Amino acid sequence: MALTSWKAFRFFDVSQVRLPGGDGSVSLDQGSVSCVTAGPSNIFVGTPSGTVHLLDQTFKPARSWRAHDASVTHVKQVPDTSYLLTLSEDLSHEPELKVWSLDQTEKKSGQPKCLSSIIVQNGRKNFPVTGFTVTSDLAQLAVGFANGAVTVVRGDFVHDRGTKQRTVFESEEPITGLEFREANSTSLYIATTSHVRALAITGKAQGTPARTLDEHGCAVGCMTLDPHSNEIIVARDDAIYTYGPRGKAASYAYEGAKKLVSVSKDYVLIVSPPKSNFTTAAALRAFGGTQAEDILNSSSFTVLNTDLKFIAHSEALSNQVNSILSIWGDIFLLTSDGKLYRYHEKTFQQKLEILYRLNLFVLAISLAQKYKINAVQQNVIFRRYGDYLYQKGDYDTAMQQYLRAIDNTEPSQIIRKFLDNQHLHNLIEYLEGLHEEGKATSDHTTLLLNCYAKLKDVDKLEAFIKQPGELKFDLDTAIVMCRQGGYYDQAAFLARRHNEHGLVVDILIEDLKKYAEAMAYIVRLDPKDAYQNIMKYGTVLLEYCPLEATQLFIDYFTGQYRPRKDAVIVQEAPAQQESGGFGTAAKSAVQNLAALIPLPSMSMITAASDGQGAMTNQTQVVETTSPGDFTEYEVAKPRVAFSAFIDHPDQFVTFLEALIDSEDVKAEQKTELYTTLFEIYLHQASSSRAEEKTEWERKARQLIEAKNVPIDTSNVLLLSDLEKFRDGTILVSERQGLRFDVFRSYTTAHDTKGAIRALHKYGPDEPQLYPAALAYLTSSPQILQEAGDEVEAVLKKIDEDGLMAPLQVIQTLSTNAVATMGLVKHYLSLTAKRERDDIAANRRLIASYRSDTAQKAQDIADLASSPVSFSATRCSSCGMTLDLPTVHFLCKHSFHQRCLGIMDGREAEEEAECPVCAPQISAVRQIRRAQEDSAGRHEVFRDALGRSGDRWATVAEWFGRGILGGGGGQ
């Protein structure tokens, strides 16, 4: 690339150095100086008289000493050391080389200590030295001569232990430059007027002839080493060339004669003599006078940045330049008239301002990157470049710059520029960059997804949400925006990817209406997540997936829930068998779900096909759950699931029956299950008809009739009453012995057949049912007709067991006009006949009592007035023959006196009683005493009379007890 195409700038401020005058100062004009070079901290000046001066930053000599007897033509300080090498020559002797230590002094003179001094040999040929270089370890140095010879000196220069010299190169062309290139091996680059060669000094190639790198050479002073790149730089009239270990590395076209080349920092420094030919020079001398001489003596100085391809500084000087010095961060040019010019580089910010004015943002960016300016400053350049491009209408390139400055730019400043519809793709690019750098907020995510939706760019949307690695956007915002935009599959994918299982199910159910897929997803969750979702969406799932949802409830609440696991098998199949992709080929909910999002606990298995021809992938989801897989979890109480079965009674019944039959449900929880199941049975029966109603009632009855059913009696009664389930009420009443209540429930419901059945069942144990049955059966003509012959049977039972007095029966039947005389004719005839028989029997009994009473009275009278003869011969006690003393009783019983245990005496005999008749007499006395006692207890009589069904019989009984006698009359 020609330098004419490079941008030229003035990145250096130029000023002439005011050199100190007076005694002790050093003149730098061409006649006073034989060589000038720069070290790390001093400028070294060699004079024709052999003196060396060390100039400090004030350009005053800090040290001066006579180093040689002849002119000092070359001075070089070994980098990073205090060693200084000086070379002196005159054409009458071979050059003299000395090594000095700047930090050591001679005690007598105070001059730097000379470590060693040698004569550089050139085959005893006195030619001027045209090249001089030394290695960084001061182990070798090379000297080139105008006759084309190069001498390499090796040895211990510091301790002066001897050196060895060898002429390593000879040429018919004069040596114009020497440089050591040190790397894994050391090479000596040799420049002549027509060639550039490399000679291996160390390494495997040592001893081999010099290798020609270029068939063109250079002038003296036009070859140098770039310490940063470790490349050799050669300046020729046509261009500037760089050489590396493999030869020519790069070239930069720059036509014109070259006088000097040097390197400072990243710059290549070129000094060129004026461009003129001989004719022009003669004309100028003839007509121009002094001004013509100035033009002829002028030089041009150029500072090149070869990496970035620009000219940092360029100017013409009125005098020839003798030396280029780089020290103290500046560049110095020494002209032949002894003037020194300082070139101070502008600050980086000043350079940027120059580039900004010229709109050279690309170069500004390259410059910042080369000098490794901090990211904040680089981003400022990017942003300004972006603004420039935006104003020019190059929005795409402007966005690229804004993206590069994304770290230190307020996003709103950029977003506002691209909000119109024409620049949506640029806005998307910037928002994607914000997310990529992790600088996006929820608002940025919302805006990005809105842009995708507006452009209907599903591919980008999917690429955004499915990007691998860590999440780079607000998850909740992205899911909400996808759902609002109708991208439900993408929202479900996001939720699944980040294990938001509740959101996945919500999207499948609420948005996609994929109930089977939601069911398939839930059964693959761990117990905790599965429970939360079935409790939230149980009612909906029971509506659309009743069998699967019911089974899921059963499995979970019996403690048998096991998450399903799947393997996605990808097989290769012939292309002609492909059926439109995974999503369309799936025939089951699991297949569809696997096409939408990755299932939980899913693994991939790939199987290769042996078929020939074009192949494509087919995917199949296979369950791999093993019976042993089980995650223990705490089962919630079954009642928490009851609300999910609202409006799904059939599934509720299945659920309750399964839990009741399960041995894994705790016994204390089954009471509620039984009660709820009984209620559902009754509810189903009340809402069903005909055979279904009968079946539900049969189940309800069977449930409460079973043994050890833990249903509270009050609940059975309440539910039976609410649902009008009489069998439940009856069963409870039976269990509690409330038979009369059972009968009354039938009569209240006007269930005549049921009442008759209850009468037959409970009548033998509950006689009071018959009077009640009589009243019910004769309560209406319809009931009487339904009863048939049962009324007569009831009357017969009442009559046989004396459950009611005839008058009570008549009163019962007379309460309404239902019963007829024909109905009770037989009963009345039998009652009258029985009454007549009772009267006759009573009369006979009275006559008998009267006869007996008269006979007793006669016997008493006879005993009181007539003697009594005793004919008994044996003792009524021991059965032995009576002997004296004997005791006879009026009851005709006779006893030995000893058998009665009567002592002698009249009173004892009078108080004696017949042992045989004494018990009967005692009982009669007790009865009589009781009658006398009760005769005075009128309140007991009144109570018995009030409770009696036959008051006449009660009065007769108490009359016989003597209540109307004189024992206690009122």
Side-chain angles (χ1 to χ4, degrees):
M1 180 184 293
L3 288 183
T4 54
S5 64
W6 289 15
K7 297 291 182 180
F9 309 98
R10 295 190 67 86
F11 284 167
F12 286 84
D13 294 324
V14 184
S15 62
Q16 183 177 350
V17 178
R18 180 173 295 179
L19 296 174
D23 295 339
S25 63
V26 178
S27 176
L28 299 179
D29 60 86
Q30 189 170 0
S32 303
V33 175
S34 57
C35 66
V36 178
T37 187
S41 57
N42 296 99
I43 294 176
F44 300 97
V45 178
T47 64
S49 63
T51 302
V52 175
H53 302 285
L54 269 69
L55 305 184
D56 57 18
Q57 281 188 280
T58 63
F59 299 96
K60 291 182 179 180
R63 302 177 74 176
S64 298
W65 74 96
R66 186 174 179 81
H68 299 273
D69 295 332
S71 175
V72 179
T73 58
H74 295 82
V75 178
K76 185 180 291 290
Q77 184 176 1
V78 180
D80 300 324
T81 69
S82 62
Y83 302 126
L84 183 70
L85 282 75
T86 59
L87 185 69
S88 173
E89 59 178 325
D90 57 27
L91 295 180
S92 60
H93 301 88
E94 291 183 319
E96 181 185 32
L97 176 71
K98 290 185 178 182
V99 179
W100 306 87
S101 176
L102 297 178
D103 57 0
Q104 299 181 42
T105 58
E106 296 289 350
K107 294 182 179 179
K108 293 182 179 180
S109 62
Q111 298 179 355
K113 183 177 181 179
C114 181
L115 300 178
S116 60
S117 177
I118 59 174
I119 301 299
V120 180
Q121 300 173 2
N122 184 19
R124 296 182 179 179
K125 299 175 183 179
N126 296 330
F127 285 90
V129 174
T130 55
F132 175 54
T133 186
V134 63
T135 59
S136 60
D137 58 358
L138 194 56
Q140 302 182 81
L141 58 86
V143 179
F145 298 92
N147 66 338
V150 176
T151 301
V152 173
V153 184
R154 298 184 178 91
D156 189 348
F157 298 96
V158 175
H159 302 94
D160 197 15
R161 293 177 180 173
T163 59
K164 292 183 180 181
Q165 300 187 29
R166 184 167 68 92
T167 300
V168 296
F169 179 79
E170 291 182 332
S171 171
E172 295 179 357
E173 305 159 357
I175 302 300
T176 57
L178 290 176
E179 291 291 345
F180 279 115
R181 185 182 184 278
E182 299 179 70
N184 294 331
S185 61
T186 302
S187 298
L188 177 63
Y189 283 72
I190 304 171
T192 65
T193 55
S194 59
H195 291 85
V196 176
R197 297 179 176 89
L199 178 66
I201 301 300
T202 63
K204 295 181 180 180
Q206 182 179 0
T208 60
R211 180 164 55 94
T212 300
L213 302 180
D214 202 334
E215 294 293 339
H216 298 83
C218 66
V220 176
C222 292
M223 177 178 178
T224 188
L225 174 69
D226 184 352
H228 302 292
S229 63
N230 203 26
E231 291 181 339
I232 304 299
I233 297 177
V234 175
R236 291 200 288 266
D237 292 348
D238 61 337
I240 300 169
Y241 299 89
T242 62
Y243 297 88
R246 297 181 181 180
K248 187 185 295 183
S251 62
Y252 310 98
Y254 183 25
E255 295 183 357
K258 311 294 189 303
K259 180 179 181 181
L260 296 173
V261 64
S262 182
V263 173
S264 176
K265 299 179 182 177
D266 296 326
Y267 299 113
V268 176
L269 313 178
I270 300 292
V271 172
S272 301
K275 298 180 180 179
S276 60
N277 54 38
F278 179 79
T279 303
T280 304
L284 287 173
R285 288 191 181 95
F287 300 102
T290 306
Q291 293 181 351
E293 287 297 323
D294 291 341
I295 295 174
L296 290 174
N297 291 330
S298 66
S299 300
S300 64
F301 175 59
T302 307
V303 181
L304 305 176
N305 189 312
T306 56
D307 288 341
L308 300 181
K309 309 293 189 299
F310 70 87
I311 300 173
H313 187 83
S314 180
E315 69 171 328
L317 299 173
S318 59
N319 288 297
Q320 296 285 343
V321 176
N322 286 345
S323 300
I324 303 174
L325 307 174
S326 296
I327 189 172
W328 305 315
D330 292 335
I331 299 171
F332 296 88
L333 293 185
L334 179 62
T335 61
S336 58
D337 59 356
K339 294 180 180 179
L340 190 65
Y341 295 92
R342 182 195 299 267
Y343 292 80
H344 180 71
E345 189 174 9
K346 296 179 182 292
T347 65
F348 181 76
Q349 189 60 40
Q350 290 174 326
K351 295 178 187 177
L352 288 181
E353 294 300 330
I354 294 173
L355 296 176
Y356 290 158
R357 288 195 298 269
L358 299 174
N359 294 324
L360 298 177
F361 296 97
V362 175
L363 183 57
I365 293 170
S366 300
L367 201 63
Q369 292 174 341
K370 179 176 179 60
Y371 292 117
K372 298 180 180 179
I373 303 302
N374 64 66
V376 176
Q377 289 182 299
Q378 289 191 40
N379 289 339
V380 172
I381 303 174
F382 296 144
R383 190 163 61 250
R384 294 188 64 162
Y385 187 27
D387 292 340
Y388 168 73
L389 294 171
Y390 183 85
Q391 292 174 358
K392 289 181 60 178
D394 189 356
Y395 302 111
D396 293 342
T397 310
M399 179 52 66
Q400 296 303 317
Q401 303 310 314
Y402 289 138
L403 288 173
R404 297 174 73 179
I406 202 168
D407 286 340
N408 304 104
T409 304
E410 172 56 42
S412 60
Q413 297 176 359
I414 310 303
I415 291 172
R416 281 196 295 267
K417 295 177 181 287
F418 296 92
L419 279 178
D420 58 284
N421 292 335
Q422 296 179 352
H423 302 142
L424 277 183
H425 65 283
N426 298 122
L427 180 58
I428 288 175
E429 190 176 9
Y430 187 73
L431 293 171
E432 287 176 342
L434 287 176
H435 286 84
E436 186 68 27
E437 296 296 327
K439 297 182 179 301
T441 65
S442 60
D443 292 335
H444 297 146
T445 302
T446 302
L447 182 58
L448 177 58
L449 295 178
N450 276 329
C451 291
Y452 287 148
K454 185 171 290 187
L455 296 179
K456 297 182 179 179
D457 195 339
V458 180
D459 294 337
K460 271 201 168 185
L461 174 62
E462 289 199 347
F464 174 73
I465 66 175
K466 293 181 179 180
Q467 57 185 301
E470 296 182 1
L471 191 65
K472 298 177 181 178
F473 51 85
D474 184 74
L475 177 64
D476 294 336
T477 300
I479 293 176
V480 170
M481 292 307 302
C482 285
R483 295 181 72 176
Q484 290 179 355
Y487 299 102
Y488 304 123
D489 292 350
Q490 290 77 9
F493 177 88
L494 270 179
R496 169 64 193 97
R497 181 179 176 184
H498 298 282
N499 294 322
E500 295 289 343
H501 304 301
L503 277 176
V504 175
V505 178
D506 188 67
I507 294 168
L508 291 173
I509 292 177
E510 300 294 340
D511 299 330
L512 294 173
K513 309 300 181 184
K514 294 184 178 180
Y515 306 102
E517 285 79 356
M519 191 72 239
Y521 187 86
I522 292 174
V523 298
R524 283 158 175 80
L525 299 176
D526 59 71
K528 181 180 179 181
D529 292 324
Y531 171 75
Q532 294 174 351
N533 284 284
I534 63 176
M535 294 308 299
K536 185 176 182 180
Y537 304 103
T539 302
V540 178
L541 295 174
L542 286 167
E543 176 71 24
Y544 294 97
C545 307
L547 296 179
E548 296 83 354
T550 303
Q551 188 60 46
L552 176 58
F553 273 102
I554 292 172
D555 290 343
Y556 186 86
F557 285 95
T558 55
Q560 300 302 312
Y561 174 77
R562 290 168 174 78
R564 297 183 188 177
K565 297 181 180 179
D566 304 279
V568 176
I569 300 178
V570 181
Q571 295 180 333
E572 290 186 352
Q576 60 268 23
Q577 296 180 4
E578 189 174 3
S579 59
F582 177 84
T584 58
K587 296 181 180 180
S588 67
V590 177
Q591 293 292 103
N592 293 334
L593 184 59
L596 174 64
I597 56 176
L599 291 170
S601 305
M602 176 177 283
S603 60
M604 299 294 295
I605 301 176
T606 303
S609 172
D610 295 331
Q612 301 295 324
M615 307 299 290
T616 184
N617 287 338
Q618 287 187 342
T619 310
Q620 182 181 7
V621 179
V622 180
E623 280 195 1
T624 59
T625 305
S626 62
D629 294 339
F630 179 68
T631 301
E632 186 175 354
Y633 61 95
E634 184 178 353
V635 181
K637 294 182 179 180
R639 69 165 175 263
V640 301
F642 290 176
S643 59
F645 290 90
I646 295 175
D647 298 329
H648 303 288
D650 292 335
Q651 289 75 30
F652 197 17
V653 168
T654 304
F655 171 71
L656 293 172
E657 289 177 344
L659 263 63
I660 287 174
D661 294 338
S662 174
E663 297 180 355
D664 298 307
V665 179
K666 298 178 181 179
E668 59 268 19
Q669 296 176 350
K670 289 193 174 183
T671 300
E672 193 168 27
L673 296 175
Y674 272 102
T675 303
T676 306
L677 182 59
F678 178 66
E679 181 181 1
I680 293 297
Y681 282 159
L682 297 183
H683 176 73
Q684 290 292 86
S686 63
S687 59
S688 303
R689 296 182 180 180
E691 296 180 358
E692 290 185 4
K693 179 180 180 69
T694 303
E695 178 61 21
W696 286 116
E697 289 182 342
R698 183 193 65 79
K699 285 189 174 184
R701 185 168 52 255
Q702 185 178 5
L703 182 66
I704 60 177
E705 286 178 350
K707 295 182 179 179
N708 302 322
V709 175
I711 304 179
D712 187 73
T713 302
S714 60
N715 289 333
V716 175
L717 287 174
L718 176 61
L719 295 173
S720 299
D721 182 67
L722 292 175
E723 300 293 343
K724 297 180 175 53
F725 180 59
R726 193 178 305 114
D727 289 354
T729 304
I730 291 171
L731 182 61
V732 173
S733 300
E734 286 180 349
R735 289 179 176 176
Q736 295 184 343
L738 303 176
R739 299 179 179 88
F740 197 93
D741 290 344
V742 175
F743 178 78
R744 187 159 48 200
S745 67
Y746 284 115
T747 59
T748 302
H750 299 286
D751 184 358
T752 303
K753 292 182 179 180
I756 292 173
R757 288 196 303 271
L759 181 64
H760 292 169
K761 185 175 182 180
Y762 308 128
D765 297 325
E766 296 289 340
Q768 68 272 19
L769 292 178
Y770 289 98
L774 179 63
Y776 169 71
L777 295 176
T778 59
S779 60
S780 70
Q782 183 180 357
I783 295 174
L784 183 61
Q785 183 180 358
E786 293 175 355
D789 297 336
E790 192 64 31
V791 177
E792 293 183 3
V794 171
L795 288 172
K796 181 179 179 181
K797 183 65 175 179
I798 291 174
D799 183 51
E800 289 176 352
D801 294 346
L803 300 176
M804 296 177 68
L807 182 59
Q808 292 176 313
V809 173
I810 297 302
Q811 290 174 343
T812 301
L813 297 176
S814 64
T815 55
N816 52 60
V818 175
T820 62
M821 283 299 297
L823 180 63
V824 296
K825 179 180 179 181
H826 181 66
Y827 170 74
L828 293 177
S829 63
L830 292 177
T831 300
K833 181 178 180 302
R834 186 175 60 254
E835 291 293 338
R836 286 194 297 270
D837 292 342
D838 288 342
I839 292 172
N842 288 335
R843 287 175 178 173
R844 288 193 296 272
L845 187 57
I846 291 171
S848 174
Y849 285 161
R850 285 177 178 173
S851 175
D852 290 343
T853 301
Q855 182 62 41
K856 294 295 183 183
Q858 184 60 44
D859 290 342
I860 292 172
D862 291 342
L863 289 175
S865 60
S866 301
V868 178
S869 62
F870 298 96
S871 58
T873 60
R874 293 185 178 275
C875 178
S876 297
S877 177
C878 64
M880 301 297 290
T881 303
L882 292 172
D883 55 6
L884 297 177
T886 302
V887 178
H888 301 280
F889 293 95
L890 295 177
C891 59
K892 303 299 185 176
H893 294 123
S894 301
F895 300 91
H896 293 114
Q897 185 179 10
R898 61 178 180 273
C899 291
L900 293 176
I902 298 175
M903 303 300 293
D904 292 340
R906 183 73 177 175
E907 294 181 359
E909 291 178 358
E910 291 179 354
E911 293 179 359
E913 292 182 350
C914 174
V916 177
C917 298
Q920 298 178 2
I921 295 172
S922 177
V924 172
R925 287 175 180 169
Q926 291 293 334
I927 293 172
R928 181 58 182 167
R929 190 178 298 114
Q931 290 178 344
E932 291 177 351
D933 292 340
S934 62
R937 300 178 63 185
H938 302 292
E939 70 281 358
V940 178
F941 167 69
R942 285 193 294 269
D943 180 66
L945 190 63
R947 292 185 291 102
S948 174
D950 187 357
R951 295 192 175 187
W952 286 109
T954 303
V955 171
E957 179 185 355
W958 281 85
F959 180 78
R961 294 180 182 179
I963 192 170
L964 300 180
Q970 298 182 16

